[in-house]
Amino acid sequence: MTQTPPPATPPEAWLTAWREVVATARRSVADGLVVGTSGNVSARVGDVVLVTPSGVPYERLTDADLCAVHLDGSRATGHLIPTSELPLHLAAYRATDASAVVHTHAVHATAVSTLVDELPAVHYMAAALGGPVRVAPYATYGSPELAAHAVAALAGRSGCLLRNHGTVVHGRDLAQAYANTAQLEWMCRVWLAAASVPGRTPALLPPQELEVVAERLRGYGQSDPPPPSPAGADGGAASSTGADPAPPSPLSGPADAAS
């Protein structure tokens, strides 16, 4: 199929998405989810994917470095080579309705990937990713085999672990994909801590409880902006719900809502 020639000036939607991709990639380094350029981030705009380039420190990226490809992997615009994990990102987009993908080498998640075939359900936030998180079999980074293993592990889930490698999480936008990446790393840290206690086995949540939590999470948070406080009212925002579904983030303070 003949592709449309790259635009002389990228559409504003591409530029907006690119800036979000770069900001998220920089945050992943600042939060310790990756070292250097070992992770990668992408966002989908229509049939085009904005993705971090290969081997370029994220703090150096500017608007002029915008890197975009079509869903078949052909270049849409930009002068830089896309991440070596492009097959992984494109496979996730083809297999899901995701608009964003975040791949990291988070320490605790990578450690867990070497120990089990599925992250045990030690916390109810597993429901935010569709259930207990699976571990995709090992394959060389950047390979079609790795992409295929990841897609299989993502069936019915929005995130998975990659054996001896890291994590891949997708979402409706970068905010959700990144938040769930942080939650996944936190749950891995919890399981490692609990499983390390001699003579004790962590208690796990049954599937039916995760289904209950998943249903509650669908209605969690604000559906509309709250009304402004009356003039002279005592400050301090009150919680909109009595629920507290999100555990503290191990990365940068309290976690955001699950979705």
Side-chain angles (χ1 to χ4, degrees):
M1 181 177 67
T2 302
Q3 297 287 358
T4 302
T9 301
E12 189 62 30
W14 293 13
L15 188 56
T16 297
W18 169 250
R19 290 169 177 168
E20 293 176 357
V21 164
V22 172
T24 302
R26 289 173 177 170
R27 183 180 178 188
S28 70
V29 175
D31 288 345
L33 291 175
V34 303
V35 175
T37 61
S38 59
N40 27 81
V41 177
S42 68
R44 179 176 178 176
V45 179
D47 292 332
V48 169
V49 174
L50 291 302
V51 63
T52 48
S54 178
V56 180
Y58 301 134
E59 68 272 14
R60 296 182 187 174
L61 294 174
T62 68
D63 289 355
D65 298 314
L66 185 150
C67 183
V69 299
H70 297 283
L71 288 175
D72 64 2
S74 61
R75 186 184 300 275
T77 194
H79 62 282
L80 296 175
I81 299 172
T83 172
S84 58
E85 293 291 10
L86 183 62
L88 176 65
H89 288 253
L90 296 181
Y93 288 122
R94 295 189 194 109
T96 72
D97 61 355
S99 293
V101 174
V102 174
H103 167 53
T104 78
H105 293 180
V107 173
H108 300 92
T110 303
V112 169
S113 80
T114 70
L115 300 172
V116 295
D117 294 326
E118 181 179 272
L119 173 63
V122 290
H123 196 277
Y124 59 76
M125 281 305 291
L129 286 92
V133 176
R134 306 181 189 104
V135 179
Y138 179 80
T140 304
Y141 80 91
S143 67
E145 292 78 13
L146 177 61
H149 290 332
V151 166
L154 286 169
R157 304 287 188 270
S158 60
C160 72
L161 301 180
L162 306 175
R163 178 86 69 197
N164 300 89
H165 189 152
T167 69
V168 59
V169 177
H170 65 76
R172 64 173 178 267
D173 53 31
L174 278 170
Q176 184 186 56
Y178 191 87
N180 283 342
T181 296
Q183 295 290 355
L184 177 54
E185 168 68 354
W186 183 86
M187 286 189 290
C188 288
R189 184 178 181 182
V190 168
W191 182 77
L192 286 171
S196 70
V197 178
R200 302 299 298 270
T201 301
L204 305 180
L205 297 175
Q208 56 267 31
E209 175 58 18
L210 294 183
E211 292 174 3
V212 170
V213 172
E215 184 60 32
R216 288 200 173 197
L217 288 177
R218 291 188 186 99
Y220 178 78
Q222 303 284 346
S223 57
D224 296 301
S229 300
D234 186 22
S239 173
S240 63
T241 71
D244 181 24
S249 168
L251 304 173
S252 56
D256 295 332
S259 61

